Amino acid sequence: MIPFESTALKRGPLSPLIFKLGLYGQLSDHDVDTIGDLRYTAIDYRRNQRITTLSVIPPCVYVMVSGLACLSVLASDGRRQITRFLLPGDFCNVFDAEPIGSIEGIDILVPTRMAAIPAGVFHQLGASPTMHDVLMALVTNASTAARKTIGSLGLGNARGRIAFLLYEFAQTMVVRGLIGAPTDPLPLRQDHIADATGLTNVHVNRMIAQLRRDRILSGSGTVLEIADVTGLRSIAGIRW
């Protein structure tokens, strides 16, 4: 089992979506029941699969229900820049992520399942005033998060970039109910961190080893854990 899979899902496979939307506004019992009862087609993707086009026949809204993926851009020489990680509950072709053209796509980082919800069905749900406000708040939050990330990458040194990424990633998973505490094991590998921070794998390996020596991070091998949350936040230079 992937360590960040929720063990408290009570409303079926779309529970991660219900949980996430509930962070942006008060969902009525009717809204919750309607989302939980949405009809969808489950689609499984394998690790290292790259998706540049999600099926549009019939048109669907794609939502992650398990796994880990990312939105990324590929350079002409094959280098990858991760622009956003996608977690259970995230939309994959609207709101959270909309791959554009042939250079941008969704990379599957671990075995992942998506729910393809017919667009017409989902749009009926979005017509509810409550849901409309929730979805608009979600879009605003995504924009704010993007600006924070750009600021971190533009102003931080290698150590600060890595600290920012790990702190924000862990906090997001906690808030979304995907892990119990920021000190729980994180599902990120060093190459994910490198591609998200614009650093080389060698540099990331060196920085993580240093952070482990400083007892900011713990875990061994591919297992990555935050040992000192306050210390990591300080290194990241987070002021908000």
Side-chain angles (χ1 to χ4, degrees):
M1 177 181 288
I2 302 168
F4 58 91
E5 286 187 332
S6 172
T7 59
L9 302 184
K10 299 179 180 179
R11 296 185 182 272
L14 292 179
S15 292
L17 175 61
I18 294 170
F19 194 103
K20 176 183 177 177
L21 293 178
L23 298 173
Y24 298 100
Q26 184 65 45
L27 299 180
S28 67
D29 290 341
H30 176 72
D31 289 331
V32 171
D33 291 339
T34 300
I35 297 171
D37 293 338
L38 287 175
R39 59 184 176 88
Y40 65 88
T41 300
I43 305 174
D44 292 317
Y45 296 94
R46 64 183 182 279
R47 179 175 173 266
N48 293 330
Q49 188 171 352
R50 183 170 176 80
I51 308 165
T52 54
T53 304
L54 291 165
S55 175
V56 294
I57 304 175
C60 290
V61 172
Y62 286 76
V63 177
M64 276 189 59
V65 294
S66 67
L68 176 68
C70 68
L71 188 67
S72 71
V73 175
L74 289 182
S76 58
D77 60 4
R79 288 177 299 129
R80 178 177 69 175
Q81 177 64 53
I82 293 176
T83 56
R84 182 187 176 105
F85 287 102
L86 298 172
L87 299 170
D90 282 339
F91 294 98
C92 298
N93 63 334
V94 293
F95 305 122
D96 294 309
E98 295 184 60
I100 302 172
S102 60
I103 65 168
E104 188 176 39
I106 294 174
D107 294 323
I108 305 301
L109 304 180
V110 303
T112 291
R113 171 167 288 188
M114 295 186 193
I117 304 168
V121 173
F122 187 83
H123 290 158
Q124 289 177 9
L125 174 68
S128 150
T130 302
M131 283 300 303
H132 178 270
D133 291 344
V134 167
L135 293 172
M136 289 303 98
L138 185 155
V139 172
T140 300
N141 177 267
S143 175
T144 301
R147 293 198 302 272
K148 288 164 62 176
T149 300
I150 291 170
S152 167
L153 292 177
L155 298 174
N157 56 23
R159 185 177 167 95
R161 293 184 196 180
I162 293 171
F164 174 88
L165 174 66
L166 296 179
Y167 180 86
E168 287 289 303
F169 189 85
Q171 291 298 324
T172 298
M173 294 193 73
V174 170
V175 169
R176 299 268 290 274
L178 299 171
I179 57 175
T183 52
D184 287 350
L186 300 177
L188 294 178
R189 296 204 317 256
Q190 290 188 13
D191 60 317
H192 303 156
I193 297 170
D195 290 347
T197 56
L199 302 170
T200 65
N201 285 339
V202 172
H203 203 163
V204 169
N205 182 278
R206 195 158 51 232
M207 290 295 99
I208 287 178
Q210 185 181 90
L211 289 167
R212 281 173 169 157
R213 287 195 298 271
D214 294 341
R215 298 185 179 180
I216 300 296
L217 299 180
S218 59
S220 59
T222 59
V223 178
L224 195 59
E225 300 172 343
I226 299 173
D228 182 352
V229 177
T230 302
L232 190 70
R233 178 185 171 91
S234 177
I235 293 170
I238 294 174
R239 297 292 180 267
W240 47 78

